[in-house]
């Protein structure tokens, strides 16, 4: 029964009457055609009820973990049970790479794509932008294949699907030749440096993450991840826009052991072992003892937004473990948080106290409203439904697409109704 099934952080208890673990495509088809409400659970790393349902919760963890590389086409077809850690290592072993990874390699490929999860890098789109094809089981039990090349606009609507169109059983991703990355951590970047040099700071390497506790008007750590080419013979610099190189490995959260973090100090290594912040052989982050929120807004407004947060940092800091600031390239995926605009992502890792965090989330919504911030689909937010719907120009099209594949709302749940579909159904 579902009473014992919770998300990774433990703040959500799934209320489904049953949790099923199909081992074949036919079993998936059978489960979705029984007439009950259905949702799919990925790796459980969402912090809200986006995956919840009153009836049948499907985990795809027992489906075959297929990984089919097509070097000639420059793609890999991945089963829905596969996580980024296992996919990345297999790709690298065969001489290939993905364009980017999230901070945690433990998360599932299909689930991450469905919520527009991302890594960092001014020219790097979120993880969903690597998708060139997908297969999903609709509410009628049909297996539908969509591709970027063949299905165009409809495909762009389906990739970040929020679980509303059907059960995604495979995705096809773009791949490239493998590459090495080196990362170094710098400390003590004054916030005012970003006033004039924000673009230079975030574009100064393949991937750049800024971390602050908001206890002071400064960036506590800058994680710089740079691609290593044959011509890279010089060590990474000792300073980064005035921040000094750390004298040893660091964890993003102050005082936490860096043992679970990927190697730093400018030592080159495979892309999959440097682009994430955390190693796959350790429990992710602080082992679930946290809550998370994230807000994504137009990159040209980044400095304004940071000043708006700095004005209320005395309210933010007491319930904050760490805030991470990253950039994501624009895309054309209808429900992507980076749809139509180059983006800055403001990520908050909170203490695990929902009652204390909620008023701060309300404050952030107020502070970031002028910037039309889009909250991450899988994290905590208090943004009103009207505000949220106004920030997605293709929402009506997405709703029509969902009803095309799922006319009776089998895959619609309280989360989708509450935030997106209430005035459209």
């Amino acid at each position: 029964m579902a009473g014992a099934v919770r998300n990774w952080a433990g703040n959500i208890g799934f209320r489904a009457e049953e949790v099923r673990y199909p081992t074949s495509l036919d079993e998936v088809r059978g489960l979705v055609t029984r007439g009950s409400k259905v949702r799919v659970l990925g790796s459980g790393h969402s912090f809200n009820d986006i995956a919840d349902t009153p009836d049948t919760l499907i985990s795809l963890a027992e489906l075959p973990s297929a990984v089919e590389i097509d070097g000639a086409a420059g793609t890999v077809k991945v089963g829905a049970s596969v996580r980024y850690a296992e996919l990345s290592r297999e790709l690298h072993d065969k001489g290939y790479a993905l364009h980017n990874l999230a901070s945690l390699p433990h998360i599932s490929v299909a689930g991450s794509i469905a919520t527009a999860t991302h890594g960092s890098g001014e020219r790097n789109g979120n993880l969903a932008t690597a998708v060139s094809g997908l297969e999903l089981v609709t509410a009628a039990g049909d297996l539908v294949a969509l591709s970027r090349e063949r299905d165009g606009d409809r495909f762009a609507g389906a990739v970040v699907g929020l679980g509303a169109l059907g059960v995604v059983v495979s995705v096809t991703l773009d791949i490239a030749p493998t590459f090495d990355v080196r990362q170094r951590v710098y400390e003590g970047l004054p916030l005012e440096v970003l006033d004039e040099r924000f673009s230079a700071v975030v574009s100064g390497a393949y991937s750049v993450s800024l971390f602050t506790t908001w206890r002071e008007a400064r960036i506590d750590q800058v994680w710089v991840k740079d691609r290593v080419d044959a011509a890279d013979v010089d060590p990474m610099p000792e300073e980064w826009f005035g921040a000094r190189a750390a004298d040893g490995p660091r964890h993003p959260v102050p005082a936490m052991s860096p043992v679970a973090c990927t190697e730093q100090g400018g030592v080159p290594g495979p892309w999959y072992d440097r682009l994430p912040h955390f190693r796959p052989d350790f429990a992710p982050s602080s082992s679930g003892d946290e809550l998370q929120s994230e807000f994504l807004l137009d990159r040209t407004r980044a400095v304004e937004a940071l000043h708006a947060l700095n004005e209320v940092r005395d309210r933010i800091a007491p319930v904050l473990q760490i805030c991470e600031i990253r950039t994501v390239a624009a895309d054309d995926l209808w429900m992507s948080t980076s749809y139509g605009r180059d983006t800055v992502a403001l990520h908050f890792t909170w203490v695990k106290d929902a009652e204390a965090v909620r008023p701060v989330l309300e404050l952030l919504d107020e502070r970031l409203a002028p910037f039309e911030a889009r909250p991450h689909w899988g994290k905590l937010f208090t943004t009103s439904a009207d505000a949220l719907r106004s920030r997605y120009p293709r929402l009506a099209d997405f709703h029509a697409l969902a009803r095309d594949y799922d006319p009776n709302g089998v895959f619609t749940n309280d989360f989708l109704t509450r935030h997106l579909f209430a005035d459209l159904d």
Side-chain angles (χ1 to χ4, degrees):
M1 298 299 292
V5 178
R6 307 190 72 84
N7 66 336
W8 171 79
N11 68 307
I12 298 292
F14 296 106
R15 57 194 178 93
E17 288 188 359
E18 61 174 359
V19 181
R20 301 297 294 269
Y21 297 82
T23 59
S24 70
L25 180 59
D26 284 343
E27 285 187 63
V28 173
R29 285 171 157 165
L31 289 169
V32 301
T33 55
R34 295 186 308 173
S36 61
K37 289 282 191 177
V38 175
R39 292 294 284 177
V40 178
L41 179 66
S43 47
H45 197 253
S46 293
F47 291 79
N48 57 36
D49 60 343
I50 190 171
D52 202 14
T53 179
D55 294 335
T56 302
L57 188 64
I58 297 177
S59 169
L60 303 179
E62 300 301 321
L63 288 182
S65 54
V67 175
E68 303 172 12
I69 299 172
D70 185 339
T75 61
V76 60
K77 185 176 180 180
V78 182
S81 64
V82 175
R83 301 191 182 210
Y84 276 102
E86 57 194 277
L87 171 61
S88 298
R89 184 174 290 276
E90 184 162 348
L91 283 175
H92 176 72
D93 288 345
K94 300 291 177 57
Y96 297 102
L98 300 172
H99 80 287
N100 211 349
L101 291 170
S103 60
L104 289 173
H106 311 71
I107 53 181
S108 69
V109 175
S112 303
I113 287 164
T115 54
T117 296
H118 61 89
S120 182
E122 191 171 53
R123 299 179 182 178
N124 298 326
N126 65 40
L127 303 184
T129 61
V131 179
S132 62
L134 59 84
E135 293 180 317
L136 61 90
V137 174
T138 69
D142 299 324
L143 181 65
V144 174
L146 295 171
S147 77
R148 182 195 296 147
E149 182 177 351
R150 183 183 63 248
D151 297 294
D153 204 37
R154 174 173 283 250
F155 173 80
V159 176
V160 181
L162 309 180
L165 278 64
V167 180
V168 175
V169 292
S170 79
V171 294
T172 301
L173 309 175
D174 297 330
I175 56 176
T178 192
F179 57 93
D180 282 349
V181 173
R182 54 185 181 177
Q183 75 172 331
R184 196 164 192 186
V185 176
Y186 298 86
E187 297 179 306
L189 180 71
L191 194 62
E192 59 264 24
V193 171
L194 300 180
D195 287 351
E196 300 295 332
R197 309 203 69 184
F198 179 82
S199 181
V201 170
V202 298
S203 65
Y206 190 78
S207 170
V208 176
S209 292
L210 312 177
F211 291 95
T212 176
T213 61
W214 286 117
R215 285 164 176 77
E216 298 181 51
R218 73 173 186 183
I219 301 300
D220 299 289
Q221 298 179 21
V222 185
W223 287 43
V224 179
K225 303 171 189 275
D226 212 9
R227 284 189 63 150
V228 180
D229 299 316
D232 287 325
V233 293
D234 295 328
M236 298 182 77
E238 291 299 315
E239 286 194 11
W240 186 266
F241 296 91
R244 296 291 299 174
D247 60 6
R250 295 290 190 267
H251 190 288
V253 180
M256 286 197 68
S257 169
V259 66
C261 297
T262 49
E263 189 165 358
Q264 302 162 23
V267 179
W271 59 280
Y272 71 87
D273 199 32
R274 295 294 186 275
L275 291 178
H277 299 331
F278 300 99
R279 296 165 51 184
D281 50 335
F282 281 80
S285 192
S286 54
S287 302
D289 192 20
E290 62 190 51
L291 301 173
Q292 292 184 12
S293 300
E294 187 170 34
F295 301 88
L296 298 96
L297 51 110
D298 192 312
R299 191 183 305 164
T300 62
R301 311 285 307 274
V303 172
E304 293 176 78
L306 291 175
H307 278 284
L309 296 180
N310 186 52
E311 291 172 0
V312 293
R313 58 185 169 85
D314 61 322
R315 294 278 308 278
I316 297 172
V319 293
L320 182 70
Q321 295 193 49
I322 199 66
C323 171
E324 182 178 10
I325 302 156
R326 292 179 284 180
T327 53
V328 188
D331 61 60
D332 65 350
L333 307 177
W334 297 355
M335 302 307 292
S336 166
T337 44
S338 294
Y339 175 80
R341 64 189 189 190
D342 290 328
T343 296
V344 61
L346 309 175
H347 185 279
F348 300 85
T349 300
W350 309 108
V351 299
K352 196 173 181 180
D353 184 340
E355 185 175 343
V357 168
R358 183 175 178 83
V360 181
L361 286 180
E362 293 171 347
L363 176 65
L364 292 185
D365 266 326
E366 174 189 326
R367 283 277 157 170
L368 297 176
F371 310 107
E372 298 187 330
R374 297 167 178 161
H376 189 294
W377 293 114
K379 303 184 189 296
L380 297 176
F381 59 88
T382 60
T383 311
S384 72
D386 286 343
L388 188 61
R389 290 194 285 261
S390 72
R391 295 168 192 174
Y392 286 90
R394 301 298 298 272
L395 173 59
D397 296 324
F398 177 70
H399 178 262
L401 184 64
R403 286 296 164 263
D404 188 21
Y405 288 120
D406 180 20
N408 297 317
V410 169
F411 299 108
T412 297
N413 66 350
D414 288 349
F415 178 93
L416 293 174
T417 298
R418 185 169 68 247
H419 294 299
L420 295 177
F421 292 169
D423 297 333
L424 299 174
D425 280 321

